[in-house]
Amino acid sequence: VPAPTMTASASASTSTAATAATASSSSTTTTKKTAAASKTAQASKKNHERKKQNILNKFLTKTYHLIDQCDPSIAGWSNDGKSFTVKDVARFEREVLPQYFNHGKFTSFTRQLNFYSFSKIRLDADLQRNNASIRFFHENFRQGHPELLKSINRTTAKVAIQTASSADQVEALQTELAQLQDQVTALASTMDERVEMIAAA
């Protein structure tokens, strides 16, 4: 007895079902890949932000330890621990800054403080008695509370300039210029190294 043959209608139905199943499987695979890619991108972004925050906080961490361990005749915390004072700028440049940074310039140090929204306290009885002293304040930069440092964010050059006084505006502009010059120098150095590598090859 000959085997029953599949009708055209049944064949078409089977083909349609197979196509639908393939499309569904492909859609599921695509969805999984998209979800995986999205998860990877989010993890990468978080890791980048974490690294960025760590880099930015190096200055704050160094400054915190600098003030914490400095000779009190040169610089130190205020009595309430809510600000710090540099009492001898010359010694601060000569003896302290080079231990923590690759420079000994007080102007560079204060410019960086400006970018982290530190403010200078000018109306202070102690400062009036000692005009050579300079006091800096930030609400999250306090003695005995290093955990607050993560709450201090670096502002853009534009914001720093807009919120600063006239004298500080000049310092902020000088900082921005110095940073641009450093970037140009670094790029030039990298290009020179690559040219030398190509020439030696």
Side-chain angles (χ1 to χ4, degrees):
V1 178
T5 58
M6 183 179 292
T7 64
S9 176
S11 177
S13 177
T14 302
S15 177
T16 301
T19 301
T22 300
S24 177
S25 176
S26 176
S27 177
T28 300
T29 301
T30 301
T31 301
K32 289 182 178 179
K33 288 182 178 179
T34 301
S38 177
K39 187 176 181 179
T40 300
Q42 291 177 357
S44 177
K45 183 178 180 180
K46 288 182 179 179
N47 187 46
H48 174 72
E49 290 297 328
R50 191 180 302 111
K51 288 182 178 179
K52 182 179 179 181
Q53 188 66 25
N54 288 338
I55 292 174
L56 293 178
N57 279 344
K58 283 184 178 180
F59 171 77
L60 298 175
T61 301
K62 287 182 178 181
T63 301
Y64 186 89
H65 289 299
L66 178 159
I67 299 302
D68 227 22
Q69 301 172 14
C70 190
D71 181 339
S73 66
I74 300 176
W77 295 102
S78 60
N79 292 333
D80 59 8
K82 295 181 179 180
S83 61
F84 70 91
T85 305
V86 177
K87 301 175 182 178
D88 190 328
V89 173
R91 290 183 62 193
F92 189 77
E93 286 185 316
R94 185 175 62 254
E95 302 176 23
V96 181
L97 287 179
Q99 296 182 34
Y100 295 86
F101 305 102
N102 59 352
H103 66 80
K105 297 180 179 179
F106 185 69
T107 52
S108 296
F109 177 71
T110 56
R111 289 166 193 164
Q112 286 299 317
L113 291 176
N114 286 338
F115 278 109
Y116 285 96
S117 301
F118 280 74
S119 58
K120 292 180 181 178
I121 300 177
R122 305 178 189 281
L123 300 177
D124 183 277
D126 179 59
L127 298 186
Q128 290 175 1
R129 288 192 297 270
N130 184 0
N131 293 330
S133 295
I134 303 175
R135 181 165 293 177
F136 297 93
F137 167 82
H138 191 289
E139 61 182 357
N140 291 314
F141 194 87
R142 299 186 178 187
Q143 184 179 24
H145 294 281
E147 74 280 359
L148 295 178
L149 295 179
K150 64 179 181 294
S151 300
I152 303 177
N153 297 313
R154 189 178 190 279
T155 62
T156 62
K158 183 177 180 180
V159 172
I161 292 171
Q162 289 176 340
T163 57
S165 64
S166 298
D168 291 340
Q169 285 180 17
V170 174
E171 291 184 356
L173 287 170
Q174 290 174 335
T175 299
E176 184 180 12
L177 176 60
Q179 290 176 336
L180 290 173
Q181 290 174 333
D182 289 341
Q183 292 176 9
V184 171
T185 300
L187 287 172
S189 178
T190 301
M191 290 299 296
D192 289 341
E193 291 176 359
R194 291 183 178 179
V195 169
E196 291 177 0
M197 290 174 62
I198 295 173

